[in-house]
C-alpha cells in the first residue's frame, strides 16, 4: 500500500520531533510535579489517618455482611417476607419523622427569615454601611462553617435534650448559608430601579422593598427550598446528639445492632427525602419558569 | 407647591374604580399562601416547645454559655499540640476520602452518563444506587465503617469516601453528559473504538471540571470531617464533642476558631488551585 | 435658585466634572449639552446626590446640598425629582406602584413598605398618568411597556413628588422620534405651566435649541458655553462636540448633531 504522505527526510524530521518532544516533556514535567505533590500528600495523610489496607481487606466481609444483615429480621427471615414485623415501630417512627420534617421546616423558615433580613446589609452594592457589611459577612461565615451538629451539641446543653436545640441548630446554619447566597443574589441585581426609587427621596427600606426585592424574590424562594431539602437530611441525624427527630431512634438501633430497625428507618428517611426532593424540584422549576416568563 | 392642580378624587375614582378596590386576586392568593406558611410555622414552633418557658430559660443559659466561651483558651500547650494534630488528622481524612471517592466514582459516572452508556437499564440502576448512597448520611456510613475497621480516623476516611462516591458519581456523570461530543466523533471517525473516544475525547475535556469539583468537595469535606469525630471516627470532632460535654467552654471556642482558620486556609488554597487549573485553560479556550 | 460653586467629581485620577460653577434661577428650562463622557450625567447625579461631589459646593436657596445627610437628604431628593435615560423603573412592579414611589418620602415607612397607599395618593398618581395618557395602563407591569411609555411613567413618578426641580438625564436618548417629542413636550409643559425648574441633559443639539431657554455646554467636565440658544453658533457647537478630532466615532459618541447646512427642516420641533 502506498501512503499519500511523502516521508520527510531525516534531517528535517529530527528537529521537528525534537521540538515536539520538548514541549511534551515540559508539560509532562509539570504533571509529574503535581502528581508527586498529590502522592506525598496522600502518603502523609495515610499516616495521619491510620490507614490500614490490610485491616480493610481482612474485614471487608464485615461490611458486606453488615449490609446484608440489615435486610434480615431477628428471626432470620428476609425483611420483605414480614413487613409487619419489619415495620413494627411504624407509628412511633412516623411521629418522629413528622417531628423531623417540622424541625426542618421551622429551622429553614427561621433561618431564611434571618438571612432575608441580613442579606441587604451584606450585599456590596446596597449595603448602607461598610463596617456593618463586613460584620454581617463574618457572622454568616461563622454560622456557615461551624457544622450544624456542633451547634446542636451546644444548644442541647442550653435548651436541654429535644427538638428545640435541633431547630435552632438548623436555623443558625441555614442563616449562614442562605445569608451568603441571598447576598450574592442581591449583588447581581440591576441597580437602576433602586437608583430610580432612591432619587425620589424614598428611604433605603423602600428602595430595597420595591427596587431590589421584586428582582430577587424568586431566587430567594428557590434557594430556601433547596436548603429545605438539605435541612431535612440534616434534621434526620440531629437526633444522634439528642437534638430531636428520628435520628435518636436510628442511632439507638445502630448502636444496639437492631439491624432490621436500622434498615426500616433508613428506608423511611430515604423515601421521605426522595419525595421532598421531587416536590421542591417541581416548585423550583415553576418558580424559575415564572421568572423567565416575566423577564 | 406652586402649580399643583386640584384633584377631584371622586372623578378620578369613578374613572378608575379598579385601582381603588381592596385587593386583587393575585394579592389574595399570595396573602393566603403566606398566611398558611405562617400558621404552619407557629403550629410547628408550638409543637416543638418554643412557647413554653424553656425557650427563654434556654436563651438565658445560652447567653451564659457564650459568655463563658470567651476568651478562647486551650488550657495549656499540650492541648494545643493535641488539637493541632487532630485538626491535621481531620484534613487528612477529608483529603483521603475525597480522592479515593473521586477515583472510585469515575467508572460509576461513566456507567451513569447518557453519552457513554447506551444500555438504559445499566444507566438506571447505577443512577439509583448513586442516589441511595448519597442520601444516607455520612454519620451513618461512619458508624457502619467503625464496625468494619474499628474506631479511628480510617473509618472516617472510608465514610467520607462512601458518601462522596454518590455525590461525585452524579456530578461527574452530569459533567460528562455536558461534554462536547464532537471530539469523540472525531476520534471514532478515525476508526478508534469507544474506549479510545472516552479516553481522548471526553476525559481531557471534563478533567478540569472534575478537578475543580473535587477541590470544592475537599473544602466541604473538611467541614464534614469535623463532625464525624463525634461518633468516634477520628479527627478534631472527638475533642470538640468531648470539650462540649465536659463544659470546657474556652476550649470549645478555641477549637472552633482552629476549625474556622483551617477551613479559611483550605478555601484560599483551593480557590488558588482552581484558578490555576481553570483560569488559564478558560483563557486559552476563548 | 440652584447655585453650583467649583464642583469637582473625581473617579480615581479622572476628573469627570471639573470646577463647574453655575447659577440656575427658578423656572428656567436649562439644557446641558456635550458629548458622551463630558460629565453631564455626573453633574446631574451630584445635584440629586446620587453621587457625592469631591470638591465644591451645591446650594439651593440657603440649603447646602452637599452637607445633607439622612432624612434631610431624602427631603431634598423629594424636592428635586430625577428622570433617567433608562427610565429606572422597577420592571416587575405595576405602573401605579412605580408612580407611587414618588410619594414614598411623604408616606409613613411602615405603610409604604406594605405597598398600601391612600386614595388621595392613588388619585394623585392616576391624575399624573392621565395627563400623560398612561392611566389606562396603570395596572400593567412596567417591563411590558415600550420605552416611550416607560419614560412617561417615570415622568409621572417625578410629578407626584410635587418637586420644585426636575433633573432629566438624557430622557430621550433611548427613544424613537415620536416619543422624543412626547417626552420633550411634557417636560416643556411641566416647566411652562407648573413652574417647575427643569435641567435636562441632551446630546441632541436640535432638540436642545428648540426646547430650552438656556444652554450650558460641557466638554471634559468643564463649562465651555453658557447662553441662550441663539448664541450657540455652529463654530461653538463644533468645538463642543469635537467633530474635528478623530475620536468621536466611538460607539457611544454618536452625536445627533449634524452641521446646520446639512440639517433638514426640524420635523420634531412642533410644540
Amino acid at each position: 500500500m502506498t501512503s499519500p504522505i511523502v516521508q520527510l527526510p531525516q534531517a528535517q524530521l529530527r528537529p521537528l520531533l525534537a521540538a515536539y518532544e520538548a514541549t511534551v516533556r515540559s508539560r509532562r514535567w509539570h504533571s509529574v510535579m503535581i502528581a508527586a505533590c498529590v502522592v506525598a500528600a496522600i502518603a502523609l495523610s495515610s499516616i495521619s489517618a491510620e490507614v490500614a489496607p490490610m485491616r480493610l481487606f481482612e474485614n471487608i466481609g464485615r461490611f458486606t455482611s453488615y449490609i446484608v444483615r440489615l435486610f434480615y429480621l431477628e428471626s432470620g427471615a428476609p425483611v420483605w417476607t414480614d413487613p409487619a414485623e419489619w415495620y413494627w415501630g411504624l407509628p412511633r417512627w412516623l411521629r418522629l419523622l413528622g417531628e423531623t420534617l417540622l424541625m426542618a421546616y421551622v429551622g429553614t423558615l427561621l433561618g431564611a427569615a434571618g438571612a432575608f433580613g441580613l442579606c441587604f446589609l451584606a450585599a456590596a452594592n446596597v449595603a448602607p454601611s461598610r463596617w456593618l457589611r463586613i460584620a454581617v459577612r463574618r457572622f454568616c461565615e461563622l454560622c456557615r462553617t461551624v457544622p450544624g451538629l456542633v451547634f446542636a451539641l451546644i444548644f442541647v446543653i442550653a435548651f436541654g435534650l429535644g427538638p428545640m436545640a435541633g431547630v435552632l441548630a438548623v436555623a443558625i446554619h441555614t442563616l449562614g448559608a442562605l445569608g451568603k447566597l441571598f447576598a450574592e443574589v442581591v449583588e447581581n441585581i440591576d441597580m437602576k430601579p433602586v437608583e430610580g426609587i432612591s432619587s425620589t427621596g424614598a428611604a433605603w427600606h423602600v428602595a430595597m422593598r420595591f427596587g431590589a426585592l421584586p428582582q430577587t424574590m424568586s431566587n430567594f424562594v428557590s434557594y430556601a427550598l433547596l436548603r429545605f431539602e438539605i435541612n431535612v437530611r440534616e434534621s434526620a441525624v440531629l437526633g444522634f446528639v439528642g437534638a430531636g427527630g428520628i435520628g435518636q431512634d436510628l442511632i439507638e438501633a445502630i448502636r444496639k445492632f437492631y439491624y432490621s430497625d436500622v434498615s426500616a428507618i433508613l428506608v423511611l428517611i430515604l423515601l421521605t427525602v426522595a419525595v421532598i426532593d421531587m416536590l421542591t424540584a417541581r416548585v423550583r422549576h415553576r418558580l424559575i419558569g415564572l421568572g423567565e416568563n416575566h423577564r | 407647591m406652586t402649580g399643583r392642580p386640584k384633584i377631584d378624587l371622586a372623578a378620578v375614582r369613578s374613572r378608575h374604580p379598579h385601582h381603588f378596590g381592596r385587593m386583587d386576586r393575585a394579592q389574595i392568593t399570595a396573602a393566603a399562601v403566606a398566611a398558611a406558611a405562617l400558621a404552619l410555622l407557629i403550629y410547628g414552633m408550638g409543637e416543638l416547645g418554643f412557647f413554653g418557658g424553656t425557650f427563654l430559660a434556654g436563651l438565658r443559659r445560652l447567653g451564659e454559655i457564650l459568655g463563658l466561651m470567651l476568651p478562647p483558651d486551650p488550657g495549656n500547650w499540650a492541648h494545643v499540640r493535641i488539637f493541632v494534630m487532630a485538626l491535621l488528622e481531620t484534613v487528612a481524612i477529608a483529603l483521603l476520602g475525597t480522592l479515593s471517592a473521586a477515583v472510585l466514582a469515575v467508572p460509576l459516572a461513566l456507567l451513569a452518563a447518557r453519552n457513554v452508556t447506551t444500555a438504559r437499564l445499566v444507566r438506571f440502576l447505577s443512577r439509583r444506587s448513586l442516589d441511595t448512597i448519597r442520601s444516607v448520611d455520612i454519620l451513618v456510613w461512619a458508624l457502619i465503617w467503625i464496625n468494619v475497621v474499628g474506631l479511628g480516623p480510617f473509618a472516617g476516611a472510608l465514610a467520607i469516601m462512601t458518601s462522596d462516591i454518590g455525590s461525585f458519581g452524579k456530578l461527574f456523570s452530569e459533567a460528562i453528559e455536558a461534554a462536547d461530543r464532537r471530539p469523540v466523533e472525531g476520534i471514532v471517525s478515525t476508526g478508534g473504538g469507544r474506549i479510545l473516544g472516552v479516553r481522548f475525547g471526553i476525559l481531557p475535556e471534563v478533567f478540569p471540571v472534575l478537578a475543580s469539583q473535587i477541590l470544592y468537595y475537599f473544602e466541604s469535606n473538611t467541614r464534614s470531617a469535623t463532625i464525624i469525630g463525634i461518633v468516634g471516627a477520628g479527627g478534631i470532632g472527638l475533642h470538640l464533642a468531648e470539650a462540649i460535654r465536659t463544659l470546657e467552654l474556652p476550649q470549645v471556642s478555641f477549637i472552633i476558631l482552629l476549625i474556622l482558620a483551617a477551613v479559611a486556609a483550605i478555601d484560599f488554597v483551593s480557590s488558588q488551585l482552581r484558578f490555576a487549573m481553570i483560569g488559564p485553560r478558560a483563557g486559552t479556550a476563548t | 435658585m440652584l447655585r453650583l460653586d467649583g464642583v469637582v467629581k473625581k473617579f480615581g485620577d479622572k476628573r469627570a466634572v471639573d470646577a463647574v460653577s453655575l447659577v440656575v434661577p427658578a423656572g428656567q428650562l436649562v439644557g446641558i449639552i456635550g458629548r458622551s463622557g463630558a460629565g453631564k450625567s455626573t453633574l446631574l447625579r451630584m445635584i440629586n446626590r446620587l453621587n457625592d461631589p469631591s470638591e465644591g459646593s451645591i446650594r439651593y436657596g440657603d440649603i447646602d446640598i452637599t452637607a445633607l445627610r439622612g432624612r434631610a437628604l431624602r427631603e431634598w431628593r423629594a424636592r428635586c425629582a430625577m428622570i433617567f435615560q433608562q427610565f429606572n423603573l422597577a420592571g416587575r412592579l405595576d405602573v401605579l406602584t412605580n408612580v407611587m414611589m414618588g410619594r414614598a418620602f411623604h408616606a409613613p415607612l411602615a405603610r409604604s413598605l406594605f405597598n398600601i397607599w391612600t386614595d388621595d395618593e392613588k388619585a394623585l398618581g392616576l391624575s399624573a398618568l392621565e395627563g400623560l395618557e398612561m392611566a389606562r395602563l396603570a395596572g400593567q407591569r412596567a417591563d411590558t411597556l415600550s420605552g416611550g411609555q416607560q419614560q412617561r411613567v417615570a415622568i409621572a413618578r417625578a410629578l407626584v413628588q410635587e418637586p420644585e426641580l426636575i433633573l432629566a438625564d438624557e430622557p430621550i436618548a433611548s427613544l424613537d422620534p415620536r416619543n422624543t417629542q412626547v417626552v420633550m413636550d411634557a417636560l416643556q409643559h411641566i416647566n411652562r405651566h407648573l413652574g417647575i425648574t427643569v435641567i435636562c441633559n441632551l446630546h441632541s443639539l436640535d432638540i436642545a435649541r428648540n426646547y430650552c431657554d438656556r444652554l450650558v455646554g460641557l466638554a471634559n467636565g468643564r463649562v465651555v458655553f453658557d447662553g441662550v440658544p441663539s448664541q450657540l453658533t455652529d463654530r461653538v457647537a463644533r468645538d463642543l462636540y469635537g467633530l474635528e478630532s478623530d475620536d468621536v466615532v466611538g460607539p457611544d459618541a454618536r452625536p445627533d448633531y449634524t452641521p446646520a447646512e446639512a440639517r433638514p427642516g426640524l420635523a420634531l420641533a412642533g410644540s
Side-chain angles (χ1 to χ4, degrees):
Chain A
M1 195 181 104
T2 56
S3 170
I5 301 173
V6 181
Q7 187 96 53
L8 286 172
Q10 282 295 318
Q12 273 182 16
L13 200 56
R14 211 162 294 135
L16 283 177
L17 263 178
Y20 176 71
E21 303 258 291
T23 43
V24 168
R25 209 175 304 133
S26 92
R27 208 160 51 198
R28 200 164 283 162
W29 174 238
H30 210 84
S31 310
V32 166
M33 283 305 289
I34 292 175
C37 288
V38 172
V39 168
I42 291 177
L44 285 174
S45 304
S46 304
I47 298 168
S48 173
E50 299 165 21
V51 169
M54 286 318 291
R55 190 149 33 120
L56 179 62
F57 276 116
E58 277 164 26
N59 296 342
I60 194 70
R62 282 197 221 164
F63 180 74
T64 44
S65 76
Y66 189 97
I67 303 286
V68 169
R69 247 195 287 177
L70 287 179
F71 295 96
Y72 282 90
L73 296 171
E74 207 125 291
S75 63
V79 286
W80 49 85
T81 55
D82 193 355
E85 177 63 24
W86 190 24
Y87 276 98
W88 66 274
L90 191 61
R92 176 181 160 77
W93 293 334
L94 282 181
R95 194 180 56 72
L96 284 172
L97 202 61
E99 185 176 280
T100 307
L101 288 178
L102 218 50
M103 282 164 62
Y105 176 79
V106 173
T108 309
L109 217 55
L110 291 180
F116 177 76
L118 291 182
C119 68
F120 294 104
L121 302 175
N125 52 346
V126 296
S129 137
R130 192 159 160 268
W131 291 111
L132 188 62
R133 177 168 75 88
I134 292 172
V136 169
R137 291 235 137 182
R138 288 287 156 278
F139 175 67
C140 286
E141 219 159 82
L142 176 79
C143 295
R144 191 170 66 238
T145 306
V146 178
L149 217 58
V150 173
F151 280 120
L153 277 171
I154 295 173
F155 290 158
V156 162
I157 301 173
F159 295 90
L161 290 169
M164 195 191 292
V167 170
L168 293 173
V170 170
I172 203 148
H173 196 67
T174 303
L175 171 74
L178 286 183
K180 177 188 183 221
L181 288 172
F182 283 8
E184 278 166 9
V185 171
V186 173
E187 282 174 353
N188 283 323
I189 62 168
D190 175 9
M191 280 299 284
K192 288 200 289 290
V194 176
E195 203 167 60
I197 292 168
S198 298
S199 78
T200 69
W204 181 81
H205 301 87
V206 176
M208 292 301 106
R209 159 69 180 81
F210 293 98
L213 187 59
Q215 298 181 54
T216 57
M217 201 56 199
S218 62
N219 272 329
F220 282 1
V221 176
S222 174
Y223 278 134
L225 284 171
L226 211 56
R227 194 69 221 177
F228 177 60
E229 286 175 27
I230 299 171
N231 285 344
V232 171
R233 292 159 207 247
E234 168 101 13
S235 305
V237 295
L238 282 174
F240 282 26
V241 295
I246 197 157
Q248 61 197 64
D249 273 31
L250 179 58
I251 188 123
E252 198 183 321
I254 295 177
R255 287 251 155 87
K256 296 188 175 162
F257 301 103
Y258 299 152
Y259 292 101
S260 65
D261 285 9
V262 173
S263 65
I265 295 173
L266 277 180
V267 168
L268 266 185
I269 295 176
L270 292 187
L271 282 179
T272 313
V273 166
V275 169
I276 299 256
D277 280 9
M278 210 175 64
L279 289 178
T280 52
R282 192 163 294 174
V283 176
R284 276 190 297 122
H285 282 150
R286 268 194 66 185
L287 272 177
I288 292 167
L290 278 180
E292 302 282 295
N293 283 344
H294 287 318
R295 207 157 287 158
Chain B
M1 201 33 235
T2 44
R4 176 169 177 177
K6 266 269 159 287
I7 287 171
D8 183 354
L9 178 58
V12 176
R13 197 172 185 147
S14 68
R15 282 198 297 273
H16 307 283
H18 46 283
H19 291 301
F20 292 88
R22 286 294 112 202
M23 266 185 175
D24 65 22
R25 216 193 162 111
Q27 278 172 315
I28 291 173
T29 322
V33 170
L38 194 68
L40 184 57
L41 175 71
I42 289 170
Y43 164 79
M45 288 176 76
E47 192 77 350
L48 300 172
F50 270 81
F51 301 129
T54 42
F55 180 60
L56 289 178
L59 273 188
R60 202 171 317 121
R61 203 141 8 123
L62 185 63
E64 285 168 22
I65 290 175
L66 290 180
L68 289 174
M69 278 176 140
L70 298 171
D73 179 14
N76 55 42
W77 277 104
H79 277 134
V80 177
R81 229 182 66 94
I82 294 173
F83 294 156
V84 169
M85 290 313 286
L87 193 66
L88 289 176
E89 192 176 283
T90 302
V91 176
I93 291 171
L95 182 74
L96 286 180
T98 314
L99 284 179
S100 48
V103 171
L104 293 175
V106 169
L108 283 172
L110 290 173
L111 281 183
R114 197 175 315 146
N115 50 349
V116 179
T117 304
T118 37
R120 270 191 151 198
L121 186 69
V122 176
R123 221 164 62 211
F124 178 79
L125 285 178
S126 39
R127 290 212 160 178
R128 281 289 141 266
S129 45
L130 286 177
D131 278 350
T132 313
I133 294 173
R134 210 158 46 91
S135 302
V136 174
D137 196 86
I138 194 164
L139 287 176
V140 177
W141 286 120
L143 287 165
I144 294 177
W145 281 113
I146 286 173
N147 277 322
V148 179
V149 296
L151 289 168
F154 189 30
L158 289 169
I160 287 192
M161 178 191 84
T162 333
S163 131
D164 271 13
I165 285 178
S167 318
F168 278 150
K170 183 171 190 290
L171 283 173
F172 288 2
S173 70
E174 278 164 8
I176 293 170
E177 281 178 4
D180 194 350
R181 84 196 134 73
R182 279 169 300 185
V184 185
E185 280 177 358
I187 289 159
V188 173
S189 75
T190 66
R194 282 201 70 76
I195 307 258
L196 274 183
V198 170
R199 162 65 184 84
F200 289 101
I202 292 182
L203 282 187
E205 196 177 341
V206 295
F207 183 75
V209 181
L210 303 196
S212 105
Q213 279 168 351
I214 292 171
L215 276 173
Y216 178 77
Y217 264 79
F218 174 47
E219 241 175 274
S220 87
N221 281 338
T222 313
R223 288 170 218 207
S224 322
T226 57
I227 57 165
I228 51 176
I230 294 172
V231 296
I236 189 102
L238 188 67
H239 301 282
L240 182 55
E242 184 72 20
I244 294 174
R245 284 199 188 109
T246 53
L247 291 178
E248 296 280 359
L249 296 170
Q251 281 187 24
V252 172
S253 51
F254 181 79
I255 296 176
I256 289 178
L257 277 185
L258 267 187
I259 295 176
L260 287 180
V263 170
I266 289 175
D267 199 23
F268 177 75
V269 171
S270 80
S271 69
Q272 293 289 315
L273 276 177
R274 232 188 329 240
F275 181 77
M277 234 168 359
I278 297 189
R281 249 169 225 262
T284 51
T286 49
Chain C
M1 187 167 72
L2 183 73
R3 176 191 291 276
L4 282 72
D5 267 314
V7 173
V8 175
K9 177 67 182 178
K10 293 183 213 158
F11 291 112
D13 288 339
K14 192 176 176 296
R15 291 163 91 87
V17 170
D18 197 355
V20 168
S21 297
L22 209 61
V23 176
V24 180
Q28 255 186 358
L29 201 172
V30 182
I32 297 183
I33 51 178
R35 295 165 51 189
S36 295
K40 307 191 297 284
S41 277
T42 312
L43 187 66
L44 243 56
R45 293 167 62 88
M46 282 193 291
I47 298 174
N48 188 266
R49 283 285 305 278
L50 286 174
N51 290 4
D52 289 333
S54 313
E55 289 168 28
S57 83
I58 303 175
R59 303 183 64 82
Y60 185 78
D62 33 338
I63 313 171
D64 182 3
I65 304 301
T66 37
L68 295 178
R69 297 176 66 91
R71 192 175 163 81
L73 171 60
R74 294 198 284 113
E75 185 181 357
W76 162 244
R77 284 180 173 161
R79 289 167 69 181
C80 108
M82 185 121 185
I83 294 169
F84 299 83
Q85 174 177 352
Q86 297 292 334
F87 330 124
N88 292 22
L89 301 177
R92 286 154 182 268
L93 301 179
D94 66 37
V95 165
L96 189 58
T97 309
N98 267 296
V99 174
M100 289 336 294
M101 291 298 103
R103 297 306 297 171
F105 171 77
H106 302 279
L109 181 64
R111 179 158 67 75
S112 53
L113 280 181
F114 282 101
N115 200 4
I116 298 168
W117 308 98
T118 62
D119 286 356
D120 281 333
E121 283 165 339
K122 282 189 207 165
L124 187 63
L126 284 165
S127 306
L129 285 169
E130 264 180 353
L132 295 153
E133 294 174 8
M134 288 293 296
R136 72 199 154 77
L137 298 175
Q140 285 224 25
R141 272 174 60 131
D143 55 8
T144 61
L145 305 180
S146 72
Q149 291 171 327
Q150 290 196 41
Q151 194 60 295
R152 280 186 270 166
V153 174
I155 293 176
R157 176 174 73 191
L159 282 179
V160 300
Q161 285 179 240
E162 302 184 326
E164 293 157 44
L165 180 66
I166 288 184
L167 307 169
D169 182 13
E170 301 276 11
I172 53 169
S174 309
L175 303 182
D176 60 35
R178 217 197 71 74
N179 280 306
T180 296
Q181 193 189 345
V182 170
V183 165
M184 287 312 295
D185 285 352
L187 287 177
Q188 192 172 48
H189 176 87
I190 289 164
N191 175 254
R192 297 268 157 85
H193 299 277
L194 307 181
I196 298 173
T197 312
V198 176
I199 304 180
C200 186
N201 282 349
L202 292 164
H203 64 228
S204 160
L205 211 47
D206 296 338
I207 305 281
R209 275 186 168 136
N210 274 288
Y211 283 94
C212 302
D213 305 331
R214 170 186 172 192
L215 297 180
V216 173
L218 283 191
N220 296 322
R222 290 172 176 276
V223 176
V224 293
F225 175 84
D226 189 350
V228 293
S230 58
Q231 291 174 307
L232 187 75
T233 60
D234 288 344
R235 218 188 103 67
V236 177
R238 207 168 294 141
D239 286 353
L240 199 58
Y241 284 87
L243 280 182
E244 275 155 357
S245 66
D246 295 337
D247 57 349
V248 281
V249 207
D252 52 11
R254 55 169 227 274
D256 288 359
Y257 168 75
T258 41
E261 48 276 18
R263 206 187 315 145
L266 287 168
L268 312 177
S271 65

